[in-house]
Amino acid sequence: MNKEQKTRVAFTIATIGAALISIFFTVRRRRKQQESPSSSCYSHSEPKPQWTFKRVLADNSYAPFKHLSCNASENGSNLHPFEAEITALLRNDQPEIELSAEKLELKDSYVWVETEMQLKELVNVLSKERVFAVDTEQHSLHSFLGFTALVQISTQQEDYLIDTIALHDSMEILRPVFANPSICKVFHGADNDVLWLQRDFHIYIVNLFDTSKACEVLSKPQKSLAYLLETYCGVITNKLLQREDWRQRPLSAEMVLYARTDAHYLLYIAKCLLLELKQLDNENSCSDDKFHFVLEASRRSNMICLQLFTKEIEASPGESAALSLFSRHQSNQGFPSVSNETQFLYTVRQLCTWRDLMARIHDESLKYVLPDQAIVALASRPLASHAEIFNTIVQIDMNAEIGLSSRIPSPSAVVDSHLSDIHHLLANELVNHGDIYSVILQKCLGQNGSCKLNIFNYALLVNINPRPALSYKHSSLKNPKQHSRKASRNLFVKKFSCKSPVYHNCRIFANDGRLLCYCDRKKLEWYISRDLAKLIEEEPPAIMLLFEPKGRPEDEGNDFYIQSKKNICVGCGEGSHYLRYRIIPSCYRIHFPEHLKSHRSHDIVLLCVDCHEVAHVAAEKYKRKLASEFVIPLYVRKVIHPGQETENPNDEGGVSPLQLRTAAMALLRHGPRMPLDRREELTETVKRYYGGREISEEDLERALQVGMSPHERRKFEKKRGISFKHSMENAAAMPKRENHADSAPSRMSNGDPLNFDTLDGSYANAETTGDNREDSFGKPSLASDLAVDGATSNGNTILVTTTDYDEDSTQAKHNSKLSLLGHGPHGKQVVDHLLKEYGEDGIREFCQRWRQVFVDALKPRFLPAGWDVKHRI
């Protein structure tokens, strides 16, 4: 047994032991409650390490987070206190990154920092360094917002482990060093670390080199720290230790080693990556289109520093979680059906509100207090007694496939202490007057409250805004999406709207002085850098081409391209934010002939969030109309394994691609630990794809990739640590099948080509091709008339191959780049049908139909001059 196998066995044994201990303490706690019924909460007897903190920057109240203010007269602000310093680094075209670290073996000695004096000594050491490496370990299970439990810092000489629990109130001593722009801080994947340090200590990073961003610029096959450690240092780490409870003191020897390893080798890894970046810069120095690799890695790293931590504030506690659960329920994503949806939504909202408040009061995570599946189960059925509620939650936790730590008791200590609240809430007896927010606060933290008052929940009594809108049982239940839209609109705008002007209105003139078009600054610079144009005006910028262009605007009789455009929503004129919107959906346009989908801006417009939603709803509605018109389904409903197509078209074969992949993933990850009935249920799902035969682990691995496009497979394989080359070698090693000389099957990474049914949207994999088949009446199936990826038809099943289209057969070329998980297959079938029946004029008319849909839905008042529904491509 090798070292890796021993580690796995030891971890499995430890997991089982932890589960038994969890069960033991749960049973013991239940017995105590039965022997001594008391209203006291578990929080009185089970204190948390974070409750010893004297000063907390981010408590569990609904008040927004206040950042450090550089102005002493202000008591916190929403501006980055070091924005000027970070911006200066971003504008520097020649970043100075000096990394001279050598690869050092991990010594036995390290410095454990747990006193304020030691922390000050560390600051003196770091102040003399030009660069040091940093990593953090978080604890999030038994904390509402999470907190930093350990900070690891490594210099070329020493490793430091900072006990941030003991030194929580003194960590601000490190702030000047981390904000010093002359000292480079090396992180790996710093996106979360930057926010966590702000949240807990008001520590802001200035001058950052992120090895993860360097991997992106270098196009590494993977960018995980485990990959870098193994590649550059030959060190293999056990990432399962990341899930350990980092609050415990003292840390185990394995945890100390893991924490030190992450930071210790980071300086050497950063040096290796920086050398590779510089080498690429040197190799690219003679290129006209020079890309500065070091500069790009530096800019991407320092952009992370500009992030600011914010609390997620909802219109009312638990509102977004409730609406998400209700939406998933409506989509039938594994949830039971209910007879009264209004009552179901109301109960879900009440339970989500209760969970949110309980998590804040007890400083616990939402997933610890009550899982989503438990909320749905409780809201879906009438429960009469405490025992039924208790058993329902236990059963849900046993069936959970989310891989949470087995040390979580079931039900949680919060539910155990407040089981009567859930009982009264389900019976609509908890809130007789007022709202649930006030009732729970009074019961838990009032004068005779049952829960312990601490530094995290005290502010809940002080900062009561926003008041939740749940006091009325039937308020706004008819349109839950409206609440969701209001709660998330600002966040959506901030995340997805364009961060800079789209139209720069730079002008391009022909060599005879005629205006050709307007463009952005990037295209302008592209022409100038290649000596294809000369600058004739600086503000606003304009260039003249030094060659004769292929076409001119007047050739088309359309002046749209020679008009300046405003950066506003074309629907309502909103100018504060906007998003790009494609009038002709990509699922169709991507399949147009190349000369009909040239990169032109006529059918890409700017819309605000509200207009974007209106246009999107109209587009989805019209897609459904097209699906009905052309008898081409929007989604792939089934996939079938090769050779499993039935002769009887009435037989129900195959399985949903998403359902297949979900079942295969769950069996691979948690199969041995699942309850027997659940494992058998998921196994039957996969068996339906393989025609009912017994399945192996290899079958499960192949099922995971069914229907993926090459891009989706590459992302999937990178995530799972599987190289694309390796998967291709496996495919090459498979036994060769006998095929027609001119019809070799198109293969996915799992070695299977595809079958699909154009009438009901089902697809099937195929390993071999054969003669053209006929339907039960001896004639080609109707499916072949509309088959886009054409193939051999058998009833309603189409066998996909890679042969070119032949009018004497029903076979056609399969597009292997097509994903089966969206509208792509539908789009290709529609476009190919139009081309076959009407030629390119059919595509032009199709575009005009989509423009008319857009105009009818939005009634746009600010379209650019020259925009026309009948615009010809």
Side-chain angles (χ1 to χ4, degrees):
M1 186 181 291
N2 58 34
K3 184 177 180 181
E4 186 177 352
Q5 289 174 324
K6 289 180 179 178
T7 303
R8 288 180 179 175
V9 171
F11 181 76
T12 303
I13 294 172
T15 301
I16 295 172
L20 293 174
I21 293 172
S22 171
I23 294 170
F24 169 76
F25 280 109
T26 301
V27 172
R28 191 170 120 183
R29 190 170 65 243
R30 293 292 296 171
R31 284 179 179 172
K32 280 185 177 179
Q33 287 180 346
Q34 291 171 357
E35 293 169 2
S36 168
S38 170
S39 61
S40 180
C41 175
Y42 81 101
S43 57
H44 291 280
S45 58
E46 298 180 22
K48 299 173 182 286
Q50 63 265 36
W51 290 353
T52 62
F53 300 162
K54 295 180 180 178
R55 189 170 67 96
V56 171
L57 299 173
D59 56 36
N60 296 342
S61 71
Y62 299 94
F65 181 80
K66 292 183 178 179
H67 282 274
L68 180 70
S69 175
C70 294
N71 188 345
S73 63
E74 296 180 12
N75 186 22
S77 69
N78 292 321
L79 301 176
H80 199 296
F82 299 96
E83 183 176 354
E85 291 84 347
I86 298 170
T87 303
L89 290 170
L90 290 171
R91 290 175 178 170
N92 184 6
D93 292 335
Q94 296 180 336
E96 298 178 5
I97 306 175
E98 297 179 9
L99 295 171
S100 57
E102 299 298 327
K103 181 182 176 182
L104 298 175
E105 296 301 322
L106 203 61
K107 300 180 295 185
D108 292 334
S109 64
Y110 65 93
V111 179
W112 178 262
V113 181
E114 60 181 348
T115 67
E116 189 172 325
M117 183 62 70
Q118 289 176 308
L119 192 60
K120 289 179 179 178
E121 292 173 359
L122 174 58
V123 170
N124 291 333
V125 171
L126 297 178
S127 300
K128 300 172 185 176
E129 298 286 336
R130 296 285 295 170
V131 59
F132 59 84
V134 189
D135 191 25
T136 68
E137 302 299 339
Q138 298 289 308
H139 181 80
S140 58
L141 180 61
H142 293 290
S143 172
F144 183 73
L145 292 175
F147 64 91
T148 306
L150 190 73
V151 170
Q152 306 97 279
I153 295 179
S154 288
T155 65
Q156 185 65 18
Q157 294 76 31
E158 194 64 79
D159 297 330
Y160 300 88
L161 300 185
I162 305 175
D163 184 352
T164 52
I165 295 177
L167 290 170
H168 181 274
D169 300 321
S170 304
M171 285 294 291
E172 63 182 25
I173 295 173
L174 285 171
R175 190 183 301 146
V177 176
F178 278 82
N180 189 337
S182 64
I183 303 175
C184 179
K185 277 68 69 174
V186 178
F187 283 77
H188 180 86
D191 299 79
N192 287 326
D193 299 285
V194 165
L195 300 179
W196 292 335
L197 291 172
Q198 293 176 12
R199 174 197 66 195
D200 294 337
F201 315 118
H202 269 172
I203 288 178
Y204 298 82
I205 313 298
V206 180
N207 192 355
L208 168 66
F209 184 81
D210 191 330
T211 50
S212 175
K213 298 301 179 185
C215 287
E216 287 181 6
V217 176
L218 291 167
S219 299
K220 293 287 184 184
Q222 297 181 47
K223 59 178 184 178
S224 67
L225 184 54
Y227 166 78
L228 295 177
L229 284 168
E230 186 172 358
T231 302
Y232 292 99
C233 307
V235 175
I236 299 176
T237 58
N238 180 11
K239 281 298 174 182
L240 293 173
L241 290 169
Q242 193 174 30
R243 304 176 186 174
E244 289 295 305
D245 187 351
W246 289 93
R247 301 175 303 167
Q248 69 182 59
R249 297 291 185 269
L251 297 175
S252 67
E254 292 82 3
M255 294 171 73
V256 169
L257 179 62
Y258 171 83
R260 289 184 59 200
T261 301
D262 278 3
H264 177 84
Y265 293 102
L266 206 50
L267 289 177
Y268 176 72
I269 291 172
K271 174 192 172 184
C272 294
L273 295 174
L274 186 60
L275 289 175
E276 292 181 31
L277 292 166
K278 289 181 177 179
Q279 183 179 351
L280 288 174
D281 275 339
N282 293 333
E283 292 173 357
N284 200 36
S285 59
C286 299
S287 172
D288 292 334
D289 189 17
K290 185 174 180 181
F291 182 83
H292 299 275
F293 289 88
V294 174
L295 177 60
E296 183 63 21
S298 173
R299 283 178 174 171
R300 292 190 189 185
S301 298
N302 281 303
M303 281 297 294
I304 300 173
C305 300
L306 286 173
Q307 294 183 109
L308 285 173
F309 171 77
T310 57
K311 286 184 181 180
E312 293 183 9
I313 300 176
E314 306 174 85
S316 60
E319 181 74 4
S320 62
L323 292 169
S324 173
L325 285 175
F326 184 70
S327 176
R328 286 157 58 190
H329 163 75
Q330 287 185 317
S331 303
N332 294 321
Q333 296 183 9
F335 291 150
S337 59
V338 293
S339 56
N340 188 336
E341 287 198 346
T342 300
Q343 179 61 38
F344 172 77
L345 175 58
Y346 171 72
T347 306
V348 166
R349 292 174 72 184
Q350 293 285 72
L351 285 170
C352 286
T353 299
W354 180 87
R355 179 180 67 171
D356 183 272
L357 288 169
M358 283 297 171
R360 293 174 186 271
I361 290 168
H362 297 87
D363 199 24
E364 301 280 9
S365 63
L366 296 176
K367 66 183 178 184
Y368 171 80
V369 175
L370 195 63
D372 287 349
Q373 292 286 355
I375 288 178
V376 173
L378 293 172
S380 302
R381 67 192 77 166
L383 300 169
S385 66
H386 289 68
E388 287 180 337
I389 297 172
F390 184 91
N391 292 333
T392 297
I393 297 172
V394 170
Q395 185 62 41
I396 288 295
D397 287 344
M398 287 176 62
N399 293 337
E401 299 170 19
I402 54 178
L404 292 177
S405 172
S406 58
R407 286 170 293 186
I408 302 178
S410 178
S412 67
V414 178
V415 171
D416 245 356
S417 298
H418 301 275
L419 193 60
S420 60
D421 282 356
I422 299 180
H423 179 262
H424 293 145
L425 189 148
L426 294 175
N428 292 326
E429 297 173 356
L430 182 63
V431 185
N432 294 324
H433 61 278
D435 56 59
I436 187 173
Y437 182 90
S438 302
V439 170
I440 291 177
L441 277 185
Q442 188 62 31
K443 283 173 63 70
C444 295
L445 301 177
Q447 187 172 3
N448 299 314
S450 60
C451 304
K452 183 178 178 63
L453 200 63
N454 60 65
I455 192 170
F456 287 92
N457 62 27
Y458 174 75
L460 286 169
L461 295 174
V462 179
N463 302 316
I464 300 183
N465 290 322
R467 299 286 294 179
L470 294 178
S471 40
Y472 306 102
K473 180 173 178 179
H474 297 289
S475 64
S476 304
L477 290 178
K478 293 183 180 179
N479 190 8
K481 292 182 179 179
Q482 183 178 358
H483 285 277
S484 178
R485 182 165 60 249
K486 289 180 179 178
S488 62
R489 184 181 184 277
N490 291 339
L491 181 62
F492 186 91
V493 169
K494 182 178 179 181
K495 187 171 184 180
F496 294 107
S497 62
C498 299
K499 303 300 186 293
S500 60
V502 174
Y503 301 125
H504 296 163
N505 289 319
C506 302
R507 292 164 294 164
I508 298 181
F509 290 88
N511 49 15
D512 61 359
R514 293 246 184 137
L515 179 62
L516 293 176
C517 65
Y518 282 78
C519 69
D520 60 17
R521 199 176 292 268
K522 189 176 181 181
K523 179 175 283 190
L524 208 75
E525 293 170 352
W526 186 90
Y527 279 111
I528 294 174
S529 65
R530 288 164 175 75
D531 294 327
L532 298 174
K534 63 180 180 181
L535 187 68
I536 58 174
E537 287 185 35
E538 292 190 359
E539 204 56 48
I543 60 171
M544 178 179 289
L545 299 181
L546 302 178
F547 62 94
E548 178 60 31
K550 269 188 179 180
R552 300 194 178 216
E554 59 266 25
D555 297 340
E556 301 178 358
N558 191 307
D559 60 354
F560 172 81
Y561 298 104
I562 55 174
Q563 301 288 334
S564 62
K565 299 173 183 63
K566 296 180 180 180
N567 289 288
I568 60 174
C569 168
V570 300
C572 65
E574 170 67 53
S576 62
H577 76 274
Y578 37 80
L579 301 83
R580 290 182 179 87
Y581 178 78
R582 297 183 182 275
I583 295 174
I584 303 165
S586 297
C587 66
Y588 303 109
R589 187 177 180 277
I590 193 175
H591 302 297
F592 287 0
E594 283 299 323
H595 62 284
L596 294 182
K597 62 174 181 179
S598 59
H599 299 287
R600 296 197 174 184
S601 58
H602 184 273
D603 294 320
I604 302 176
V605 296
L606 301 183
L607 295 178
C608 67
V609 168
D610 301 317
C611 291
H612 193 287
E613 183 175 357
V614 172
H616 175 73
V617 169
E620 292 301 302
K621 183 178 179 180
Y622 196 67
K623 281 183 187 177
R624 293 193 292 272
K625 181 179 178 181
L626 290 174
S628 175
E629 177 183 342
F630 293 113
V631 198
I632 298 174
L634 273 177
Y635 294 99
V636 175
R637 297 181 189 141
K638 295 178 184 176
V639 286
I640 311 169
H641 193 262
Q644 309 306 329
E645 311 86 59
T646 61
E647 296 294 334
N648 184 354
N650 295 322
D651 287 352
E652 289 293 331
V655 65
S656 155
L658 184 60
Q659 191 179 7
L660 172 66
R661 290 171 60 190
T662 302
M665 179 69 77
L667 289 170
L668 283 171
R669 285 185 175 177
H670 315 296
R673 302 194 298 274
M674 283 184 184
L676 181 60
D677 56 344
R678 179 58 173 160
R679 186 166 68 247
E680 289 178 349
E681 179 186 346
L682 295 177
T683 303
E684 285 302 316
T685 298
V686 181
K687 278 185 175 181
R688 286 204 304 274
Y689 168 69
Y690 287 106
R693 67 170 173 83
E694 293 299 318
I695 57 173
S696 63
E697 186 168 331
E698 183 182 357
D699 291 328
L700 294 176
E701 289 283 356
R702 295 172 67 184
L704 283 177
Q705 301 187 52
V706 168
M708 288 186 181
S709 67
H711 175 69
E712 290 169 336
R713 290 199 300 275
R714 283 192 294 271
K715 286 182 67 176
F716 172 79
E717 287 162 353
K718 282 183 181 180
K719 189 174 181 180
R720 289 176 61 85
I722 306 171
S723 69
F724 185 72
K725 180 180 177 183
H726 177 68
S727 65
M728 293 300 291
E729 288 172 353
N730 287 346
M734 293 177 63
K736 293 185 178 178
R737 309 279 182 178
E738 184 177 349
N739 295 297
H740 282 271
D742 60 347
S743 60
S746 169
R747 297 201 171 271
M748 298 165 55
S749 63
N750 62 2
D752 292 336
L754 253 16
N755 276 8
F756 70 92
D757 185 336
T758 55
L759 296 181
D760 67 4
S762 64
Y763 276 65
N765 288 342
E767 291 175 349
T768 60
T769 59
D771 296 330
N772 296 339
R773 299 174 185 172
E774 298 175 339
D775 64 13
S776 56
F777 297 95
K779 298 178 180 179
S781 168
L782 172 64
S784 63
D785 294 334
L786 296 179
V788 198
D789 288 5
T792 308
S793 62
N794 179 12
N796 287 339
T797 302
I798 306 301
L799 185 64
V800 174
T801 63
T802 56
T803 54
D804 291 331
Y805 184 80
D806 182 354
E807 291 182 357
D808 297 328
S809 75
T810 55
Q811 294 183 345
K813 186 174 182 180
H814 168 60
N815 183 356
S816 62
K817 294 184 179 180
L818 204 59
S819 168
L820 306 186
L821 306 177
H823 293 162
H826 159 83
K828 187 176 192 314
Q829 294 177 60
V830 169
V831 172
D832 282 5
H833 174 66
L834 290 171
L835 287 171
K836 179 182 176 182
E837 296 295 327
Y838 310 106
E840 293 184 359
D841 286 340
I843 298 297
R844 293 188 177 96
E845 183 185 352
F846 186 69
C847 293
Q848 292 176 15
R849 290 172 64 177
W850 274 107
R851 295 186 195 117
Q852 193 62 52
V853 168
F854 173 75
V855 170
D856 291 344
L858 211 57
K859 305 291 189 299
R861 295 176 291 139
F862 298 93
L863 282 167
W867 192 94
D868 187 8
V869 168
K870 297 188 180 297
H871 173 77
R872 286 184 61 83
I873 305 175

